[in-house]
């Protein structure tokens, strides 16, 4: 077919039956305003479209969206079945010219997919590092690629200024660490074992700044700030968990003083007063007439 290099996507993806998969399709600038669609079929000339960008963007199990700024449209297939195997990312060409498309294959399994990730959508922070786990069993081929760009095929390399490190540090696959993320790092990537690819979309944002307010004294019926930065409502008769120990020193000292005085008074009473009363009662009384 013509124009096979005008659209770029993955070639083969292992997926779980009953699950869903999103496939990115990168196109050339000349196709920005063209209609994009997902076509199903083993052969290009006989494939049948499932969803188009100029029609309802979602039809049953299929949905499509077009990001013209990034020149990428994505197709999502839900509730995957065994017969979901042969698809094409396609672009309509006006006039009498043939449409343009590129083939990708799905390998639907009821077992654990041969190559998979926990989530296709991952968030990273500007200036920080991001690590992705690519679960691939004992595959000897470990690659990390960016859609439409180069791949890192060794244990380390770079993509668009980011340092990429590939490490077989997990028993069920390998990890990919991207260091020096910037907003330019936004986009589609994929884990690659040569036999299979798994697309991953990375969104880079500014890391949120969190502050911990100082706990405040609670009054009745007032909403106060707690130590974890959240607000909690305090009802009547309730008290704050934070207690000012200084306010307890004077009452505690007074209580100790009273206890000491009481104990001393009881000791004096037992040692002096009680014997005196006993001796008084035992003095014989003599009366002379």
């Amino acid at each position: 077919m013509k124009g096979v290099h005008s659209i770029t996507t993955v070639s083969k993806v292992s997926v779980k039956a009953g699950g869903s998969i999103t496939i990115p399709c990168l196109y050339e600038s000349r196709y920005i305003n063209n209609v994009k669609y997902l076509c199903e079929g083993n052969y290009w000339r006989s494939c049948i479209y499932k969803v188009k960008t100029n029609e309802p963007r979602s039809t049953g199990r299929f949905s499509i969206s077009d990001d013209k700024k990034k020149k990428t449209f994505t197709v999502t297939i839900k509730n995957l079945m065994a017969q979901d195997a042969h698809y094409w990312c396609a672009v309509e060409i006006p006039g009498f010219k043939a449409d343009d498309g590129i083939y990708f294959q799905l390998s639907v399994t009821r077992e654990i997919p041969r190559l998979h990730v926990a989530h296709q959508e991952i968030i990273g922070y500007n200036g920080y590092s991001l690590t992705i786990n690519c679960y691939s069993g004992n595959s000897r081929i470990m690659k990390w690629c960016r859609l439409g760009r180069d791949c890192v095929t060794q244990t380390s390399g770079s993509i668009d200024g980011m340092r990429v490190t590939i490490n077989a540090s997990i028993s069920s696959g390998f990890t990919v660490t991207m260091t020096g993320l910037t907003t330019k790092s936004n986009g589609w990537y994929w884990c690659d074992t040569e036999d299979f690819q798994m697309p991953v979309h990375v969104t880079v944002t500014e890391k949120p700044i969190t502050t911990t307010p100082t706990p405040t004294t609670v009054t009745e019926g007032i909403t106060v700030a707690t130590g974890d930065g959240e607000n909690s409502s305090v009802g009547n008769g309730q008290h704050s968990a934070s207690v000012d120990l200084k306010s307890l020193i004077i009452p505690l000292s007074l209580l100790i003083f009273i206890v000491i005085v009481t104990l001393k008074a009881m000791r004096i009473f037992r040692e002096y007063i009680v014997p005196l009363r006993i001796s008084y009662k035992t003095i014989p009384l003599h009366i002379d007439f």
Side-chain angles (χ1 to χ4, degrees):
M1 54 169 291
K2 297 180 180 180
V4 67
H5 299 295
S6 300
I7 306 173
T8 304
T9 190
V10 293
S11 57
K12 189 175 182 179
V13 181
S14 180
V15 291
K16 179 84 170 181
S20 65
I21 187 68
T22 297
I23 303 294
C25 307
L26 178 69
Y27 54 84
E28 291 185 351
S29 299
R30 57 192 171 118
Y31 289 154
I32 286 180
N33 295 319
N34 291 60
V35 173
K36 288 84 178 180
Y37 62 96
L38 175 66
C39 195
E40 182 181 14
N42 195 13
Y43 301 101
W44 169 246
R45 291 184 178 181
S46 60
C47 73
I48 302 172
Y49 84 88
K50 291 297 180 180
V51 63
K52 289 186 176 183
T53 55
N54 66 336
E55 295 180 358
R57 302 300 176 88
S58 179
T59 56
R61 299 188 302 122
F62 304 94
S63 60
I64 189 170
S65 63
D66 186 10
D67 188 339
K68 294 184 178 181
K69 290 184 178 180
K70 296 181 179 179
K71 299 186 292 293
T72 303
F73 70 95
T74 57
V75 292
T76 299
I77 307 173
K78 301 178 181 179
N79 192 21
L80 291 161
M81 300 179 290
Q83 57 266 35
D84 291 318
H86 308 288
Y87 289 95
W88 301 77
C89 291
V91 175
E92 280 189 356
I93 307 299
F96 299 99
K97 295 181 180 180
D99 290 350
D100 196 356
I102 188 169
Y103 172 83
F104 67 89
Q105 182 180 359
L106 299 182
S107 176
V108 182
T109 177
R110 295 189 179 277
E111 307 297 330
I112 298 175
R114 293 283 298 277
L115 175 62
H116 66 281
V117 292
H119 303 284
Q120 278 195 275
E121 292 283 345
I122 300 178
I123 296 177
Y125 298 119
N126 189 20
Y128 287 77
S129 298
L130 178 64
T131 297
I132 300 96
N133 292 333
C134 302
Y135 301 99
S136 61
N138 297 320
S139 176
R140 295 182 180 180
I141 304 298
M142 297 176 293
K143 298 180 183 180
W144 180 251
C145 304
R146 182 164 190 177
L147 182 63
R149 311 290 177 86
D150 297 329
C151 296
V152 174
T153 59
Q154 304 297 325
T155 56
S156 64
S158 63
I159 298 177
D160 296 337
M162 293 181 300
R163 178 173 174 79
V164 177
T165 304
I166 300 176
N167 189 356
S169 60
I170 56 178
S171 59
S172 57
F174 60 96
T175 63
V176 176
T177 300
M178 297 191 298
T179 304
L181 294 174
T182 67
T183 53
K184 294 182 180 180
S185 305
N186 285 302
W188 282 96
Y189 301 78
W190 65 68
C191 309
D192 195 329
T193 60
E194 202 167 79
D195 293 331
F196 295 96
Q197 299 83 43
M198 174 51 64
V200 175
H201 186 263
V202 175
T203 301
V204 179
T205 64
E206 294 297 330
K207 189 172 184 179
I209 299 176
T210 57
T211 58
T212 304
T214 303
T216 57
T217 303
V218 179
T219 57
E220 294 184 354
I222 301 297
T223 299
V224 297
T226 60
D228 58 1
E230 297 180 353
N231 288 335
S232 60
S233 179
V234 181
N236 294 334
Q238 293 181 327
H239 299 279
S240 172
S242 60
V243 180
D244 190 353
L245 295 179
K246 292 183 180 180
S247 63
L248 297 178
I249 293 177
I250 295 177
L252 186 60
S253 300
L254 181 60
L255 178 61
I256 294 173
F257 176 76
I258 294 174
V259 171
I260 293 174
V261 171
T262 302
L263 292 175
K264 286 186 176 182
M266 292 177 64
R267 182 179 178 183
I268 294 173
F269 182 80
R270 287 197 302 268
E271 292 183 357
Y272 297 100
I273 303 302
V274 173
L276 181 61
R277 293 181 61 185
I278 294 175
S279 61
Y280 174 77
K281 291 181 179 181
T282 54
I283 296 176
L285 180 62
H286 299 282
I287 302 176
D288 296 328
F289 293 95

